[in-house]
Amino acid sequence: MANLRQLFLQHLAQTSDSPLMLEIERAEGMYLYGPGGRAYLDLIAGIGVSCLGHRHPRVVEAVKAQLDKYLHTLVYGEFVLAPQVRLASLLASLLPGPLDSVYFVNSGAEAAEGAMKLAKRFTGRYEFVACKRAYHGSTQGAASLMYPRDFTQAFLPLLPGIRHIEYNCEWSLQQITEQTAAVVVETVQGEWGIRAPADGYLQKLRRRCDELGALLILDEIQAGYGRTGSLFAFEQYGIVPDILLLAKGMGGGMPLGAFIASRELMSSLSFDPVLGHITTFGGHPICCAAALATLETLLESGLIGQVKAKERLFLELLQHPAIVEVRSAGLWLAVELESFETVRAVIRHCLDEGLISDWFLFNERSLRIAPPLIITEEEIRWACGVIVAGIEKCKM
Ligand code: PLP
């Protein structure tokens, strides 16, 4: 009888030739557990997902309660389902005025797809401007926004009319024109290895969009729900997007995404044609129940208020001559090392010591740190000790 790992390699589609192959038996709080109860501290939260840690009791309770009521009933948008309505209302109450209409989907890529369609429908334009080394998803519309070309070359042709600009470059904003339907930007660029917006950049971007009638779509799929030190990252930069993208952390470990806009904008999906964007499972009642419990718990917990102090502790402890740079935006850090080989060796060392880390899609020389927001001071100290020891070991 083949064991689980052999069957994994035989029957699960692989996306790289070097999967981590860590067998997970259960997860709780900051930890994942393998066979024999081997514990791993999770420093990446399932890539920006488990903001409250794994299986937060209130999230589990909400899922169980919803399980006892109903699962799927009818495609999104037809029936009045309390978990969807309560979650959308809470989000609208927390967001600035115009962002009061929520369209639930299943994932981040779908949120990007829906938002792109909405921008085309509302503006009557089809061109998009996106930033180099930004990631918005792997489906064809979202992948059209991707650059460098190495990632998309094999899948051409993708969508026409996409212009790629340098993030944080004011001069590049000239590429936004009267033909631009929308500019799609991550508030903080994650997969490039955490690049926060320069002073005034997002305001200038917002102004340029307004001048030319282009919509501004902010992707907070990875930044979302407190990671940067505010519930929504854009709150720190004095701008409001026309469309906000959320996913990952919002579901508390369940698959859920959303694009959020004004009622006026969103209503354009309901005529010419009617049913302009539809989904069967988007906004699944269990996912919305989990997301509602996640958001309520996060707001009550005071965790977001602790993010900056925890970030400072990481910055203080991540010191070694071989560290080229540490960039951060709250509990979202990139530790830049000399080479990909060093990063890979440090990740291996961390894993051997029971610590899960990773690199970034568009920056393989940086080590990813994006823990659940519940991480304690003691756990930060331990994790940084393991990382620094791993870096030191690579020098020998
Ligand atoms: N946008 C950003 C900023 C992301 O980091 C990701 C995923 O990593 C996505 C979109 C795509 O989300 P999903 O994997 O749920 O499709």
Side-chain angles (χ1 to χ4, degrees), residues 72-362:
H72 175 75
T73 54
L74 187 63
V75 292
Y76 173 78
E78 294 295 333
F79 288 175
V80 180
L81 305 177
Q84 289 179 345
V85 178
R86 295 222 172 91
L87 177 59
S89 308
L90 180 57
L91 280 165
S93 74
L94 295 165
L95 283 161
L99 297 171
D100 64 353
S101 182
V102 182
Y103 194 119
F104 290 119
V105 290
N106 302 281
S107 67
E110 269 186 74
E113 296 286 341
M116 289 172 82
K117 279 177 69 184
L118 177 58
K120 286 165 85 171
R121 169 67 184 85
F122 188 75
T123 61
R125 307 171 183 180
Y126 71 89
E127 289 189 9
F128 287 89
V129 171
C131 288
K132 294 180 180 174
R133 295 171 293 276
Y135 183 69
H136 303 290
S138 268
T139 50
Q140 302 223 26
S144 304
L145 304 174
M146 209 186 312
Y147 186 103
R149 290 259 177 251
D150 322 5
F151 286 90
T152 54
Q153 198 65 36
F155 308 109
L156 298 178
L158 291 171
L159 286 183
I162 313 284
R163 293 170 190 234
H164 291 101
I165 61 172
E166 287 292 343
Y167 181 75
N168 266 344
C169 170
E170 287 179 22
W171 174 82
S172 289
L173 300 180
Q174 297 304 321
Q175 299 257 25
I176 305 165
T177 70
E178 283 177 346
Q179 271 74 53
T180 308
V183 182
V184 190
V185 182
E186 288 175 77
T187 312
V188 172
Q189 263 201 326
E191 293 302 323
W192 187 19
I194 316 302
R195 315 278 169 160
D199 275 353
Y201 173 70
L202 290 177
Q203 277 107 328
K204 291 198 175 94
L205 171 59
R206 176 71 273 184
R207 223 172 299 134
R208 178 85 183 152
C209 287
D210 289 343
E211 282 162 13
L212 294 156
L215 300 181
L216 177 59
I217 301 176
L218 284 185
D219 179 341
E220 299 212 353
I221 287 166
Q222 205 171 145
Y225 278 11
R227 182 157 299 286
T228 61
S230 51
L231 184 60
F232 305 104
F234 71 80
E235 294 173 280
Q236 296 173 45
Y237 301 102
I239 57 150
V240 176
D242 298 296
I243 309 178
L244 177 68
L245 309 186
L246 296 176
K248 285 187 178 278
M250 91 180 290
M254 296 295 284
L256 185 67
F259 55 102
I260 306 177
S262 68
R263 183 111 222 112
E264 183 207 355
L265 222 160
M266 197 68 92
S267 66
S268 61
L269 287 178
S270 63
F271 62 96
D272 287 342
V274 66
L275 305 177
H277 192 73
I278 47 179
T279 164
T280 297
F281 286 126
H284 191 285
I286 298 223
C287 302
C288 286
L292 183 61
T294 300
L295 187 50
E296 286 173 347
T297 308
L298 193 61
L299 293 171
E300 289 163 22
S301 67
L303 282 167
I304 298 176
Q306 300 165 14
V307 163
K308 291 288 177 193
K310 290 179 181 178
E311 172 189 17
R312 278 195 298 277
L313 185 59
F314 267 111
L315 293 172
E316 190 187 301
L317 297 171
L318 289 168
Q319 307 274 350
H320 190 279
I323 295 179
V324 177
E325 185 182 28
V326 182
R327 292 175 300 275
S328 66
L331 274 176
W332 203 16
L333 301 96
V335 184
E336 183 136 346
L337 301 174
E338 285 151 3
S339 66
F340 177 48
E341 285 66 39
T342 321
V343 170
R344 201 147 61 168
V346 174
I347 290 172
R348 192 71 250 171
H349 164 87
C350 289
L351 211 53
D352 292 343
E353 296 297 316
L355 180 65
I356 296 178
S357 181
D358 193 14
W359 58 81
F360 294 88
L361 193 58
F362 303 127

